[in-house]
Amino acid sequence: MGAERPGATGLFTLKDYEEAARASFDQGSWDFVSGGAGQERTLAANLAAFDRVRLRPRVLSGSGVPDTRTTVLGRSWPAPIAVAPMAYHTLADPEGEAATARAAGRAGLPLVVSTFAGRTFESVAEAASAPLWLQVYCFRDRATTRRLVERAERAGFEALVLTVDAPRLGRRLRDLRNDFRLPDGMVPANLTGGDYASPSAHALTEFDPALDWSVIDWLRGISSLPVLVKGVLSAADARAALRAGVDGIVVSNHGGRQLDGAPATLDVLAEITAAVGGACPVLVDGGIRRGADVLAALALGADAVLLGRPVLHALAVGGENGVAHLLELITEELVEAMALTGTPSVAGAGPALVGAEPGATPAPSPVRTTPAEGLRKAELRKAELHGSVSDPVLDTMNFLNEVTTRYPQAISFAPGRPYDGFFDTEQLFTHLRRYLDHLEAQGASPAQVRSALFQYGPTGGQIRELIADSLRKDERTEVAPESIVVTVGCQEAMFLAVRALISGPEDVLLVSSPCYVGITGAARLLDVNPTAVAERESGFDCADLEAAILAERARGRRPRVFYVIPDHSNPSGTTMPLQARLDLLDLAQRHDILVLEDSPYRMVSPGQQLPTLKSLDRHRRVVQLGSLSKTLFPGARVGYVVADQTVVDADGRTGLLADELTKIKSMLTVNTSAVSQAVVAGMLLAADGRTSELNRETAAYYGDAMRVTLEELAKQFPAAEREALGVRWNEPTGGFFLSLTVPFRADNAALIRSAEEFGVIWTPMSYFYPDGGGEHAVRLSVSYLTHQQIADGVGRLADFIKSRPRTARD
């Protein structure tokens, strides 16, 4: 087929590829690829289960262009589809898994490589540009399995998928009748020795039939990669997998090739996703032949699907181009199904989408506890709650808190909390009194003063004038008080801005990546999937933002707003140069977008700060998000939005964006605590609005902490050793954070080992990449540790890093 587009030759469905592929195989190889176990009842059941599904259309839903992106194990996939593990792609094409990897990379979709691949892990990795996972069979000789895992990890594979349903291979009658043998010269490229000509005979002698759940701990002991288990068909086994600590579950009956008579995967999917309850990703394979099948699996709780035999069919028909076209085809079918069912995003797929003909296995009824004392207690299904509660980004801080609690003796570089040694509780009363005196001096009556403390107060805030005064004196930013909304911390400010500015699926929120998890969390709560604009090693570059804007417009979407922390960013610590700030404002004007500026660390960083984007803004392109948690004190939970943009209604009347945000706030928190505002106001009055003056000592403290951290890193990693290990870090000029690149995968498993064995805690940088990335970097926070704790902690961290095996980079 060469480079010709396969669709041009009449291949328009996955079934077309299957029919065309038949002629490419001899009878024995075709039966090996296509057959199942026993009478092939389970093989047929997989297909029949999807044939029974009916998707319910939704009309006039206003959903716009469907967003097929999903996130699995911290990696963003363009569609919820990956290539399932299958042995010997070389039966379909001489290039085998290398060709499949290139095609999957063109689609941006992962490939699960079989232990019995016909091409080496290294050659597959060289061909790949999307994630690779290794499917693992555990052999009686564990040393063989260890070597395979270590070799794949060195090659850059990102996860292990342990096949748990094959203590021996199922009785495959077609292979027995054909006395199937691999073609001469075809062997598993990553195994040495042994007789592999008969797959079933080799499995009988080499697979470990005594495998139990302890194998999960064993795999974690030899590798830092996440571990998924493939072959789960019951809620009981799913719960056992969670207890064993797996990172993911694949609902699979081995394509009908193991126990004949086992249920179809789709028929048990709902009960398994209910049992898992969002604790880890759930994937499913078996019988998927259409994009509508993918959507049905998502509706029943799957995070993604694995596509098996159709990939080999396409590989046999058209090589790399055939597989690329097949993946494009099923993704297009998925988009069509989502559009016609009014499903705006992958997270929006739920049980209501799926109807079934009479005789189909229904989804399990809600489980209830045994009645006790006349009461019936309902048990909610997590799968039926909003998709955000299962999103990994909402679990990241909880996981860090859990690790910190579990290892209290460890030194933690994870929390970004301010140092509280400068605070005196008596000051709260002084600040409160100062504000009350201010109100009286302004002519407020005793009743008005009392109301200012004890009543809700205006939704937009009662200290807007003082915040506007502070912005003018500290930042040279002239804004009217009525353009400010006082919020419950900066997190509410983000929520209000995203809710107001992103009106539907066609609107795009762009974020500088890596980015603060608060913005991705707020977006997720609002069913907004942010588009990541990857920072370079030197930081943000306008050319990358412009490319992202043009790409989104080419998809028929409207880039609306770009979120960035220009000063001492959380998590990376980078600061945007002045010229880049000017270029960003020019780009925003040219492309008609807004900028969400979030800079909480400016006033607590030493030295002269660059001007804010808002102070440079001449066209009201910047919506500034402010936080007084770092600048004054975190317990106040007071933030603000500067939203001075003009809003015009259908009748031509004009107002401020701040007014619209206030309407949303009135239905969210109603108002920001009057007492908190009063204490903050007293602090601003005490400093004559100049928080920079108020924070001189604080900024010096944080600057010293950063300096000591950088000095200790340089001491622990001399230049030559740093180069040999592949360790490097940036050198922020302020803020709380810096980024450290390490020579291994810095994931949750590595974090737990670091805390448990070395007594030091850090944050994986992968938490901060909405579309995946940062797997070989950690974030260090230096804000509240003493100099001695920093020195001890960096020493422990260095010991941990030097103890880890080096792994391949993405």
Side-chain angles (χ1 to χ4, degrees), residues 153-486:
E153 188 166 4
R154 286 194 301 272
F157 284 48
E158 297 185 9
L160 305 177
V161 182
L162 175 68
T163 293
V164 293
D165 62 356
R168 57 175 289 166
L169 291 189
R171 185 176 174 82
R172 302 170 188 175
L173 296 179
R174 293 202 214 184
D175 293 348
L176 291 173
R177 289 172 177 141
N178 293 328
D179 189 24
F180 178 71
R181 296 287 189 274
L182 291 172
D184 289 343
M186 187 172 294
V187 294
N190 300 287
L191 293 168
T192 57
D195 182 4
Y196 303 103
S198 170
S200 59
H202 174 265
L204 192 62
T205 59
E206 300 297 334
F207 285 8
D208 185 353
L211 213 58
D212 61 25
W213 289 106
S214 66
V215 71
I216 305 300
D217 284 338
W218 180 77
L219 283 172
R220 291 197 183 285
I222 65 170
S223 170
S224 65
L225 298 181
V227 178
L228 300 89
V229 290
K230 178 178 179 290
V232 172
L233 287 174
S234 71
D237 276 346
R239 287 189 286 267
L242 292 179
R243 288 194 296 271
V246 303
D247 298 290
I249 290 171
V250 182
V251 179
S252 174
N253 54 33
H254 217 105
R257 293 160 71 83
Q258 283 300 99
L259 176 63
D260 192 29
T265 52
L266 190 70
D267 287 342
V268 297
L269 177 59
E271 73 174 70
I272 291 172
T273 56
V276 171
C280 71
V282 176
L283 295 85
V284 64
D285 67 11
I288 296 152
R289 297 296 184 270
R290 296 164 288 246
D293 297 346
V294 179
L295 185 55
L298 299 176
L300 291 175
D303 293 283
V305 305
L306 300 180
L307 191 63
R309 292 179 178 92
V311 172
L312 291 186
H313 299 155
L315 187 63
V317 172
E320 175 189 337
N321 286 342
V323 176
H325 177 246
L326 181 112
L327 295 174
E328 177 186 343
L329 198 159
I330 194 169
T331 303
E332 288 175 352
E333 289 181 346
L334 172 61
V335 170
E336 177 185 82
M338 292 174 69
L340 296 178
T341 56
T343 307
S345 65
V346 168
L353 272 178
V354 181
E357 290 183 339
T361 303
S365 300
V367 179
R368 296 185 183 273
T369 59
T370 302
E373 299 178 357
L375 297 176
R376 295 175 65 84
K377 298 179 181 179
E379 182 174 290
L380 298 176
R381 294 177 179 278
K382 193 167 183 178
E384 294 177 356
L385 301 179
H386 187 262
S388 63
V389 301
S390 299
D391 195 296
V393 74
L394 271 67
D395 286 331
T396 54
M397 294 303 108
N398 289 337
F399 177 77
L400 283 177
N401 290 337
E402 177 189 335
V403 172
T404 302
T405 302
R406 195 188 312 171
Y407 305 103
Q409 302 308 312
I411 294 173
S412 180
F413 288 99
R417 70 173 190 242
Y419 174 63
D420 59 14
F422 298 113
F423 302 138
D424 180 347
T425 53
E426 291 300 316
Q427 291 175 327
L428 293 176
F429 303 103
T430 302
H431 298 318
L432 187 59
R433 170 49 59 189
R434 180 174 281 108
Y435 180 57
L436 299 183
D437 292 343
H438 169 75
L439 291 179
E440 291 176 359
Q442 295 286 97
S445 68
Q448 290 171 322
V449 172
R450 184 171 61 249
S451 178
L453 285 183
F454 291 101
Q455 284 296 345
Y456 293 117
T459 299
Q462 61 188 28
I463 62 169
R464 296 189 292 179
E465 291 81 2
L466 294 175
I467 292 175
D469 179 63
S470 177
L471 288 171
R472 178 175 58 82
K473 291 173 178 176
D474 266 338
E475 305 285 17
R476 298 183 181 178
T477 300
E478 296 281 352
V479 291
E482 58 268 25
S483 69
I484 296 171
V485 181
V486 183

Side-chain angles (χ1 to χ4, degrees), residues 38-60:
Q39 303 299 314
E40 300 188 343
R41 291 174 296 164
T42 298
L43 179 63
N46 280 343
L47 296 168
F50 282 104
D51 287 343
R52 289 195 302 266
V53 168
R54 297 294 177 264
L55 296 175
R56 295 176 177 171
R58 288 281 308 280
V59 299
L60 300 180

Side-chain angles (χ1 to χ4, degrees), residues 71-94:
T71 300
V72 177
L73 297 181
R75 272 285 218 163
S76 180
W77 301 0
I81 301 165
V83 177
M86 294 170 289
Y88 305 115
H89 290 214
T90 43
L91 283 170
D93 182 275

